[in-house]
Structures are given as structure tokens and as C-alpha cells.
Amino acid sequence: FRRVLFRSGGTINTAASTTLTYSGILAGSGTFTKEGTGTLALGAVNNAGGTGFSGSVTVNSGKVTATELDLASTKTLTIASGATVAVTESSSTVTSLISGSMAGNGTFQFNGGASGTGGILELSNAFTASGLTLSLTGGTLKLSGSGTFGFGTIDITGNTTIDFSGSTGSTLSSTSLRIATGVSVSVINF
């Protein structure tokens, strides 16, 4: 199937030790829920923000992977405890965007490749997700808008740039900040 429409809500359940790959389009204004301990792999064609998806995304278990993530019109991305959303974005010409809030007690992992020249994760709407872990394994984290972007833990395991160029008085905060030995973190446009 090429298009999944979430009018009031819908669920994709992936069984344990399986991967379901979907490279179509998400659309609608309902809530998209991911259940099951398996993996849902979203292809680069999946461009939720550009196709009119304006609902919320809830990952209750397992893992969601994406080669780019465009949640430009999404209200909330919630990641439950034990669940993971992992985005790999190695091209500096494409930005993964989350413009809604983030919530939950799970892990959001971003692998942008080389710091400063690799992929970009842009967060454009302030939120406080005191139980959420942000794992950065490289690339650039760009904050835009204003306010506090709050996480429970920020775990940096690869060379990373934190860019405040699109923000007006933004703050990045966490209860716990862990930077792996030998890793370089650059803060620019602060």
C-alpha cells in the first residue's frame, strides 16, 4: 500500500523479531500508534509533514527507524518507556524536522554522521519531556523558535554540533548530560 490515512486513529503492530518496512505516505489528523516489540522501518519516501499528516505519533513498544523524519505538522511525538525512535540522516542537504512537542520515557536517537557536515535534526517547538532520553551519535541538533527544549537525559556518543541559529533565547536542558570520552561537542550561534 502506498498511503495510510489516519482519520481518527490507527495502529501498526509489529511482531517480536520482525521488521515491517513502509515507504509510503502517512496522512490525516488522527493518532498513529506503533505497538509490538518488532521494528517499523519508515523509508525516505515517507514524508508525513509534507503530505498533510497533522495528528500525533505514539510509539508504545519496539522500535521505529527512519532515514529521514518529517513531522512538520505533527502535534506530539510520544515514546513510551523501553521504546525507541531512531533516525539516521547523513546528508546536510536534508533536515529531519519535529515541530510538535515530544513526550514519554523512551529514547529518541539521532545519527547524523559527521558533525557540522552531516545530517540535521531540527526541533522547532519548545517542550519539556523529563523522562525522555535524547541520544545523539553525530550530526547537528538545531533548535529554532523560543523557550526550553527539555529532556531527562542527553547522551552524546558521537561528534555533534548544537546550533541555536534559528532560536530566540532558546534553552536546551536535561537532568543528566553524558558525553562519551573523546567526543567533541560544538555549540554555535548561541
Side-chain angles (χ1 to χ4, degrees):
F1 46 95
R2 294 178 7 143
R3 185 172 191 235
V4 175
L5 177 63
F6 295 98
R7 287 198 173 129
S8 62
T11 300
I12 294 179
N13 192 325
T14 55
S17 302
T18 65
T19 298
L20 172 64
T21 301
Y22 178 68
S23 295
I25 295 170
L26 298 180
S29 59
T31 298
F32 160 50
T33 303
K34 185 333 194 146
E35 297 283 359
T37 58
T39 298
L40 173 62
L42 299 176
V45 175
N46 191 301
N47 185 350
T51 60
F53 180 74
S54 59
S56 293
V57 177
T58 300
V59 180
N60 281 331
S61 57
K63 188 172 189 176
V64 174
T65 63
T67 52
E68 69 180 74
L69 189 65
D70 184 356
L71 297 178
S73 301
T74 302
K75 294 174 186 148
T76 305
L77 170 60
T78 302
I79 308 169
S81 179
T84 300
V85 173
V87 178
T88 299
E89 179 76 71
S90 59
S91 170
S92 62
T93 61
V94 179
T95 299
S96 287
L97 174 65
I98 299 173
S99 64
S101 63
M102 296 178 78
N105 296 303
T107 300
F108 185 92
Q109 180 182 55
F110 180 71
N111 179 8
S115 174
T117 60
I120 300 167
L121 170 64
E122 181 175 354
L123 305 179
S124 65
N125 190 22
F127 57 84
T128 299
S130 57
L132 194 63
T133 296
L134 175 62
S135 175
L136 302 171
T137 61
T140 298
L141 172 63
K142 181 178 180 179
L143 303 178
S144 60
S146 61
T148 298
F149 296 83
F151 294 90
T153 299
I154 298 175
D155 193 8
I156 304 175
T157 59
N159 294 341
T160 299
T161 298
I162 300 174
D163 182 2
F164 286 87
S165 65
S167 71
T168 307
S170 291
T171 303
L172 178 63
S173 72
S174 69
T175 304
S176 174
L177 172 63
R178 299 184 299 228
I179 302 173
T181 302
V183 168
S184 171
V185 177
S186 301
V187 178
I188 61 174
N189 301 310
F190 186 67

